[in-house]
Every structure is written in structure tokens, then in C-alpha cells.
Amino acid sequence: MNNGDFLRDMLAKADREGYAVPSFNYSCAWDFLAIIEAAEEEKAPVMVASHALVFNMITPEINAAMGAAAMAKANIPLIHHLDHSDEVAICNKAIDLGYPSVMIDASALSLEDNISAVKEVVEHAKSNKVCVEAEIGKIKGRGYEGGYGGDDFLAQVDDAVRLVEDTGVDTLAVGIGTAHGFYEGKPEIHFDRLEEINAAVDVPLVLHGGSGIPEADIRQAIKGGINKINVGTIIHCTLMNSFRKDLIELGDNQFTLDIARPAMDEVKKVVKGWIRKCMADGKA
Ligand code: 13P
């Protein structure tokens, strides 16, 4: 059964074997399905995730049912995840609806308030064996999955240790210079800080802001202790740009399915590229 323990095992295997589990953000049925098709063809363990905004818009019940059906049907290790919820209540709703994995992102709050929000979610998640991800430091940039424009983004080692020890959280997203949305210029990733945090805490670390990070940096991040890598913007944009291209070429009044299949195929190419960058191909 694909519960939190199943994900814990997936991440431990990735750590032992030196790859990362990619987590792809979807925003509709078409990219959701394309991600899973691509992962099955690559024989890769993956996560499909949606931001809390998508979770609320599709509705929690429909999201949860879609995820549960996909996990039951998949021929690969597949985990459905709630990404970036800044509200405890939304995480708890997802847990109650059977999500195996949720993220409580209270990184905008003080360390004390971050810890108390994470504690609340971990407490609720325990009896359902749900995996909980928290965030320390801040993910820069601006994208569908969130944004931060200040300079105070870098995760502090002592804060990471306190957050993990005080809450018992399962995985930790670290602010080390990566950004949501597309990068302007080359990402400046603080690999030294990543290694310090990895040496100080005993939980899998998560890299956010995947879209646009060069392959060499992805490989270095995995070496430095990253076990899960989140990719969103390039998925949404590939889907929408394919729709736009086909509508311009074919004209108005197209049937959705005729342009959805080519858009899914474009998304699949991107997903497969990311699975290989994470070295997760063939690891199912
Ligand atoms: P990108 O949208 O920059 O790929 O980041 C995705 C992400 O980190 C989701 O949490």
C-alpha cells in the first residue's frame, strides 16, 4: 500500500543508490496523466504533487480520489503528495482524505511558529502513517508554487536541527538558493550549506525549484544529500505552450482531446528528461 512508510522506503532506497525521487507538480488531469505515463515508460519511482491552490480548486475530494486511483493502478512506485500548504487545516484535510504525503510550509513564520505548525501536522499524520515535509530557510523566486524576494533565504544549520528534532518531521525542504519559476541567469546554489545540513540531520532532504537547474547542479545536489527534487513550472508551461501552438496552427473551435494528446506528449518528454537528470530511470 502506498502510504507514508512506502514513501520512506522509496527515499531510503534513493539515498542508498545515489539518485533522487522526482516530484512533479500537476495542475489538471492532462499533466497528471502525462507524468505517470512517462514514469511508467522510464520505470521510475516518482511523486505527483499539487499545490494547495490546485488541491482546493479541483476540490480536495476529487484530488484525493484521483491520486488514490492512480497509486492503485500504477505499475511503478507512485506517491500522491500535497505540496506547499501554509495551512495546517489543509494538510489535515488531505491526511483525512488518504493522502500518503503532505507538505506544511510554514517557512514564512518565525522558527518557533514554524515548529509548532509542523508539530500539529505531524501529530495528525502519525496515526495514518502519512509522511510530512517541512521547509527551513526559504525558496526564492516567483512561480505557481510560491515565491520569496528577500535576501534572507539561506537555511541555518541549527534551525534545521531544531525543526527536525522538535517535530519528528519526515523530510525537509532546504532554502539553499534555488527558486520557484524560471531562473534569471544561473542558479547560485549553496552546496556547502546543503552538505552541512545533511551532516547535521537524519532525514531525507528536498530540493525545490527544479525547473531550470542545470544537470551538473542536480547531480551535485544529489551527492550533497538531496533525495527528492521538485519540478513544477516547466510542466505547467510545456502543457500551456503546446495548447497555444496547436490553437494558433489549427484555428479556433478545436476539440479538447485533439490538442490534449500532443500536449501530454510534450509534457512526457520533459518528465522523462527530468527522471534521467535525477538518475531515477530504471529504479522502479
Ligand atoms: P519549479 O516550479 O521552479 O520547478 O519548482 C517546483 C517546486 O519546487 C514545487 O514545490
Side-chain angles (χ1 to χ4, degrees):
M1 186 165 122
N2 300 11
N3 58 25
D5 284 343
F6 188 80
L7 175 57
R8 288 179 191 98
D9 289 347
M10 275 168 69
L11 295 170
K13 179 175 185 289
D15 192 54
R16 278 194 311 275
E17 297 182 14
Y19 62 94
V21 174
S23 180
F24 296 103
N25 281 68
Y26 67 88
S27 49
C28 66
W30 309 122
D31 49 6
F32 179 84
L33 293 171
I35 293 161
I36 298 168
E37 275 183 24
E40 291 194 327
E41 287 170 23
E42 288 294 308
K43 300 188 175 26
V46 297
M47 296 172 70
V48 270
S50 70
H51 189 276
L53 293 170
V54 174
F55 175 78
N56 281 332
M57 189 152 167
I58 295 181
T59 75
E61 292 75 13
I62 292 175
N63 258 293
M66 197 164 95
M71 289 186 289
K73 186 170 179 281
N75 295 316
I76 45 160
L78 178 73
I79 287 287
H80 189 217
H81 171 76
L82 173 72
D83 192 34
H84 284 293
S85 167
D86 57 5
E87 286 181 40
V88 170
I90 295 179
C91 289
N92 288 349
K93 178 92 187 167
I95 292 167
D96 292 342
L97 286 167
Y99 268 66
S101 176
V102 300
M103 176 187 193
I104 173 73
D105 176 7
S107 61
L109 307 180
S110 67
L111 179 62
E112 298 309 321
D113 291 345
N114 191 350
I115 287 173
S116 74
V118 176
K119 255 188 188 165
E120 253 190 90
V121 176
V122 169
E123 197 50 45
H124 194 70
K126 252 188 220 154
S127 50
N128 301 294
K129 292 191 171 173
V130 174
C131 221
V132 179
E133 177 178 332
E135 179 170 316
I136 198 74
K138 294 179 179 67
I139 311 303
K140 297 197 296 178
R142 174 138 301 281
Y144 203 86
E145 275 78 32
Y148 175 73
D151 292 329
D152 186 23
F153 63 86
L154 192 60
Q156 302 301 314
V157 180
D158 291 351
D159 293 352
V161 170
R162 267 207 61 202
L163 186 67
V164 170
E165 285 181 356
D166 288 8
T167 63
V169 76
D170 294 283
T171 60
L172 189 63
V174 285
I176 51 168
T178 61
H180 288 132
F182 289 124
Y183 291 85
E184 289 165 21
K186 190 180 175 305
E188 298 291 337
I189 305 176
H190 293 245
F191 292 107
D192 47 348
R193 182 53 52 88
L194 170 63
E195 285 167 23
E196 286 164 2
I197 295 174
N198 190 42
V201 301
D202 198 18
V203 294
L205 301 180
V206 182
L207 192 74
H208 281 240
S211 302
I213 300 181
E215 180 153 348
D217 285 354
I218 291 294
R219 298 286 164 96
Q220 194 175 342
I222 294 170
K223 276 206 184 94
I226 291 292
N227 299 133
K228 168 182 178 243
I229 297 182
N230 287 15
V231 180
T233 301
I234 190 66
I235 305 292
H236 317 313
C237 292
T238 300
L239 187 83
M240 296 312 291
N241 290 341
S242 175
F243 279 142
R244 182 182 55 185
K245 180 178 142 292
D246 282 354
L247 286 173
I248 289 171
E249 265 175 38
L250 300 170
D252 293 343
N253 303 324
Q254 299 302 318
F255 186 51
T256 315
L257 294 190
D258 291 339
I259 57 172
R261 188 64 251 179
M264 287 170 69
D265 290 341
E266 290 303 313
V267 170
K268 279 176 70 176
K269 283 187 212 154
V270 171
V271 169
K272 288 182 177 190
W274 267 98
I275 286 172
R276 289 175 198 176
K277 267 193 209 177
C278 292
M279 298 178 287
D281 48 307
K283 300 290 188 181

